[in-house]
Amino acid sequence: MRRLLLAFVAVAVGSAWQLAAGAPLAPGPVGSAPGNGHPVSLGTAQAARTSGDAALMPAEAGLPGWKRIENQRVFTRADLYGYIDGGAELFLELGFDQLTLQKYRNGSNDVAVEIYRMADGAAATGIYLMKCGKETHDPAFKERHTINRHQLMFARDRYYVTINNLSGADTMAPELVRFGSLVGSKLPTDRPPVELQRLPVAGLVAGSQRLIRGPFSLQALYTLGDGDILQLGGKLTAVAGNYRDAGGAYTLVAVAYPDAAAARKALANVQQNLDKYLKSVNSTPSRLVFKDYENKFGSLTLTGRQIEIRLHLTRQPQ
């Protein structure tokens, strides 16, 4: 069952991992799962609260013609499943704190503002990178973002924000930008995750960076084995990116553990529980080389407290 659940999440976020291709995921309107568009009942599990990040919501005074409708809702780790059907695991794994939701109406147009307060900047950026797909920009919006007729999404500091056009009208992009700008003006100064700096710059494919904190975020990229195979525990942050160089294209994943012993333990766990569709071709205490079902190769190399993983290699590494 867990493997099926992981596969479902991988499908939900996998399209965002396509190199320089793939549209942004479908919008996540109120009452549906962000990224899959499947309608779900908000149900009794959803607790309407008066706290949350109400202060970050756009004021009506800054939005001529728009009025708030329905009560603000706040979702915590305990009831996020009641709002996101099939995608909450990824939020929880990366580090979710709470979601504040507010809807607005102007004539026949409705907008839903979702402000996800994550555990830290890496969690917010991690969700954004998983969801954004190939970014489409509006020059009027200054944050790093992606936008289409249905949705504007961006991340700043520890917040991941989506502005959803519930009416679907194709003239709403300027309104989405206006909502987003008002939210962005209230957020803390952005601090890009330092973890991304662990990726070498040379050969890195733009927009391919990802952050990983457990099986759901790893499964979106590659299956090394069941469960938390890299022993990240939702606390350690692995960073990944796609590369192209003279040797071809490959994916690099880098993990820094607290100490060498933890890194050795993680490598041993992979060696002992390697996915059944991967064939080990060389295994030592500091290295594992395997072949996958596409006859491509992968490797894990232990150096001190770090493990470097290379995937999708067309030639067997030495």
Side-chain angles (χ1 to χ4, degrees):
M1 179 62 72
R2 182 174 180 77
R3 197 175 185 87
L4 289 173
L5 185 58
L6 282 166
F8 182 85
V9 173
V11 169
V13 301
S15 62
W17 183 246
Q18 301 302 311
L19 284 173
L25 295 175
V30 175
S32 70
N36 62 23
H38 296 164
V40 295
S41 170
L42 294 178
T44 55
Q46 169 185 292
R49 299 178 176 87
T50 57
S51 57
D53 287 309
L56 300 178
M57 286 292 171
E60 293 179 353
L63 296 164
W66 290 91
K67 299 293 182 184
R68 296 189 181 197
I69 59 172
E70 302 182 3
N71 293 328
Q72 174 188 283
R73 293 188 173 94
V74 178
F75 299 85
T76 67
R77 293 179 62 88
D79 55 14
L80 186 62
Y81 285 98
Y83 183 64
I84 302 178
D85 181 19
E89 294 85 359
L90 187 62
F91 282 80
L92 296 174
E93 176 177 283
L94 285 169
F96 171 79
D97 188 352
Q98 66 176 25
L99 161 64
T100 306
L101 166 69
Q102 179 65 60
K103 293 172 68 177
Y104 298 78
R105 178 169 293 164
N106 184 354
S108 60
N109 293 316
D110 286 359
V111 163
V113 178
E114 300 171 332
I115 300 177
Y116 294 83
R117 185 200 299 173
M118 305 297 288
D120 52 31
T125 300
I127 281 291
Y128 173 78
L129 294 175
M130 286 284 184
K131 295 285 188 181
C132 70
K134 184 179 180 181
E135 292 173 314
T136 302
H137 299 147
D138 187 312
F141 192 57
K142 304 306 180 185
E143 310 287 343
R144 178 179 178 176
H145 69 283
T146 189
I147 186 171
N148 59 31
R149 62 181 290 186
H150 299 290
Q151 187 179 64
L152 166 68
M153 70 170 69
F154 67 99
R156 184 172 177 181
D157 191 64
R158 63 183 294 196
Y159 294 93
Y160 166 69
V161 180
T162 65
I163 313 295
N164 301 293
N165 171 17
L166 303 184
S167 66
D170 57 8
T171 58
M172 284 286 289
E175 296 300 316
L176 300 183
V177 169
R178 180 182 300 180
F179 273 91
S181 297
L182 289 172
V183 175
S185 69
K186 299 181 180 181
L187 296 180
T189 301
D190 195 23
R191 294 174 294 175
V194 296
E195 290 86 350
L196 291 174
Q197 299 175 10
R198 296 207 300 267
L199 285 175
V201 174
L204 177 63
V205 177
S208 69
Q209 300 96 323
R210 297 291 183 270
L211 294 166
I212 302 164
R213 282 182 166 168
F216 295 103
S217 43
L218 176 62
Q219 191 83 1
L221 310 182
Y222 200 84
T223 300
L224 284 173
D226 286 340
D228 188 12
I229 190 79
L230 292 178
Q231 300 188 332
L232 302 176
K235 303 297 183 184
L236 302 178
T237 305
V239 60
N242 291 335
Y243 285 80
R244 291 195 182 99
D245 59 22
Y250 63 94
T251 297
L252 173 66
V253 182
V255 193
Y257 290 88
D259 50 49
R264 287 196 301 271
K265 183 179 177 183
L267 175 60
N269 187 60
V270 176
Q271 291 170 319
Q272 294 165 10
N273 300 285
L274 191 65
D275 188 87
K276 64 181 181 180
Y277 294 105
L278 305 177
K279 180 182 178 181
S280 174
V281 295
N282 184 20
S283 182
T284 72
S286 62
R287 187 167 167 83
L288 169 66
V289 177
F290 60 84
K291 179 188 286 186
D292 66 20
Y293 62 94
E294 294 181 314
N295 289 320
K296 293 185 177 179
F297 294 90
S299 67
L300 287 83
T301 303
L302 171 67
T303 304
R305 65 182 187 93
Q306 301 188 53
I307 294 178
E308 179 185 280
I309 305 169
R310 295 196 177 215
L311 305 168
H312 310 301
L313 300 168
T314 55
R315 289 179 292 185
Q316 181 173 339
Q318 299 300 312

